Amino acid sequence: METKEFYKQRLQQVVSYVRTKYNQKISIDELEHLSSFSYRNLQRVFKALYSETIGAYVIRLKVENAAKMLVYSQREIKLIAEEVGYSDVFAFSKAFKKHFGISPSKYRDKKEELFKKSEEITEKIMPFFEERITVLPKKRVVYTTFKGDYYSTDLDAVWDDFIEKSDEVGIDVDAAESFGIIWDEPIISEKLSYHYDACFVIDDLELANSKFNVKTIASQTYAVFEHLGSYKTIADTYDKIFSKWLFTTNHEIIEKPFLEFYILHDGNTSNEDDYKTEIFIPIKG
């Protein structure tokens, strides 16, 4: 494997590990093992690739996940602080305000404004319903990570490269189930901070000399929505979820990533109008 690709793969494993452990004590030994760097050199490479230090990245994960909990749940701020890894509410509030510019309590008060909702609008709009509620079984996947603007053409290039290399290692890319993991919601994260994993489900398939990382996505309950047509208009479906469904449903969204399953796409239809994407929103089971 080329050195550049090797380092990129190792850093993706570091990011995956940190996302899993962000609210716990991060093991420097584990980071060094995953990256094959000393911690000092890992910091340098991480900063060069992600434009922030590992420490700053961990803090951002803490406060952005806390923001999701503030918006999606009614849990006490003290309990949210503890859940994202702060034993001191004052320290949590200070970090949160530094990132978002307002306190956690004010952020929660502004959640209706974040979703552009008012009582007058709510009375006039039609409800928006999920297609179904389902428990997605655990899935073993190969993945590659994209960082940047979710709505840019750069993501298309990532998928094209991912498909080509997946085919080279023996994955039937036409038949394999494919989906994207949306780690950062646009309403909460800064535009250029989006992290996205492109995934192919491989289940029990063993890959020789794989160019990608492998992980298992845990079983989870989801509300499923259907988007028909080009990916360029998928933001409209997300807008409906956040401005209509979220405020009328009895289901509680939890702070896990959203998934996008690509049912009909450019690999099996030539017409963008026929594209079918299922959006999986994680909810309490």
Side-chain angles (χ1 to χ4, degrees):
M1 182 182 299
E2 296 180 0
T3 301
K4 181 179 178 181
E5 287 297 320
F6 174 78
Y7 288 160
K8 180 180 177 182
Q9 182 174 338
R10 288 289 181 167
L11 284 178
Q12 288 182 0
Q13 290 187 78
V14 168
V15 169
S16 182
Y17 172 82
V18 172
R19 281 194 172 277
T20 302
K21 303 289 186 180
Y22 78 90
N23 58 349
Q24 305 169 34
K25 184 176 180 179
I26 302 293
S27 168
I28 291 177
D29 289 343
E30 185 66 19
L31 292 178
E32 289 181 334
H33 171 71
L34 289 170
S35 66
S36 297
F37 287 119
S38 68
Y39 186 64
R40 175 178 292 183
N41 285 335
L42 172 60
Q43 286 276 30
R44 291 168 176 163
V45 176
F46 192 95
K47 177 75 181 297
L49 185 62
Y50 292 105
S51 302
E52 60 186 334
T53 65
I54 294 174
Y57 181 59
V58 170
I59 291 174
R60 183 162 65 81
L61 288 176
K62 288 176 184 288
V63 297
E64 289 188 355
N65 276 288
K68 295 177 190 179
M69 297 180 205
L70 288 165
V71 170
Y72 300 148
S73 77
Q74 296 300 318
R75 272 172 283 181
E76 294 180 19
I77 291 176
K78 179 178 182 295
L79 296 178
I80 291 175
E82 292 174 352
E83 190 162 340
V84 298
Y86 284 94
S87 57
D88 183 349
V89 177
F90 176 77
F92 164 68
S93 296
K94 183 177 179 181
F96 191 95
K97 187 172 183 178
K98 183 177 181 180
H99 186 79
F100 288 103
I102 57 176
S103 68
S105 59
K106 288 184 178 179
Y107 188 93
R108 170 169 274 171
D109 290 341
K110 286 169 65 70
K111 77 175 184 178
E112 291 189 357
E113 180 182 322
L114 287 172
F115 291 105
K116 299 178 181 178
K117 170 184 176 290
S118 70
E119 293 301 324
E120 181 179 353
I121 294 175
T122 303
E123 290 174 1
K124 293 181 179 179
I125 62 174
M126 293 293 291
F128 185 67
F129 300 102
E130 70 275 1
E131 293 291 323
R132 65 186 185 277
I133 303 297
T134 188
V135 177
L136 194 68
K138 70 177 182 179
K139 295 181 179 292
R140 182 168 169 264
V141 303
V142 291
Y143 69 97
T144 188
T145 298
F146 166 77
K147 177 182 179 295
D149 183 356
Y150 169 73
Y151 296 105
S152 76
T153 56
D154 293 342
L155 184 55
D156 295 333
V158 169
W159 266 107
D160 289 341
D161 182 65
F162 184 47
I163 290 170
E164 180 181 346
K165 291 179 178 177
S166 296
D167 184 62
E168 291 174 0
V169 297
I171 297 173
D172 185 348
V173 295
D174 292 326
E177 190 175 31
S178 63
F179 65 93
I181 302 177
I182 317 297
W183 288 101
D184 307 292
E185 282 93 300
I187 58 158
I188 290 173
S189 300
E190 298 173 2
K191 180 178 180 181
L192 295 181
S193 296
Y194 295 175
H195 281 78
Y196 173 101
D197 288 346
C199 304
F200 276 122
V201 177
I202 58 172
D203 290 330
D204 297 328
L205 178 65
E206 294 299 329
L207 304 176
N209 302 317
S210 175
K211 300 179 180 180
F212 303 109
N213 298 310
V214 177
K215 63 182 174 182
T216 298
I217 310 299
S219 176
Q220 172 63 47
T221 303
Y222 293 90
V224 183
F225 300 84
E226 189 175 273
H227 171 73
L228 299 176
S230 169
Y231 303 132
K232 297 174 184 177
T233 60
I234 200 168
D236 296 337
T237 301
Y238 277 109
D239 286 345
K240 291 178 181 177
I241 294 170
F242 288 126
S243 65
K244 300 179 182 180
W245 176 82
L246 181 62
F247 290 97
T248 57
T249 183
N250 292 323
H251 297 288
E252 181 180 333
I253 297 181
I254 59 175
E255 62 287 352
K256 291 186 179 296
F258 298 173
L259 308 180
E260 289 180 357
F261 280 81
Y262 308 110
I263 311 303
L264 292 177
H265 48 80
D266 59 0
N268 48 32
T269 181
S270 59
N271 189 344
E272 284 191 358
D273 292 338
D274 294 333
Y275 286 4
K276 178 179 176 181
T277 305
E278 290 187 339
I279 299 171
F280 282 60
I281 305 296
I283 60 175
K284 272 191 174 180

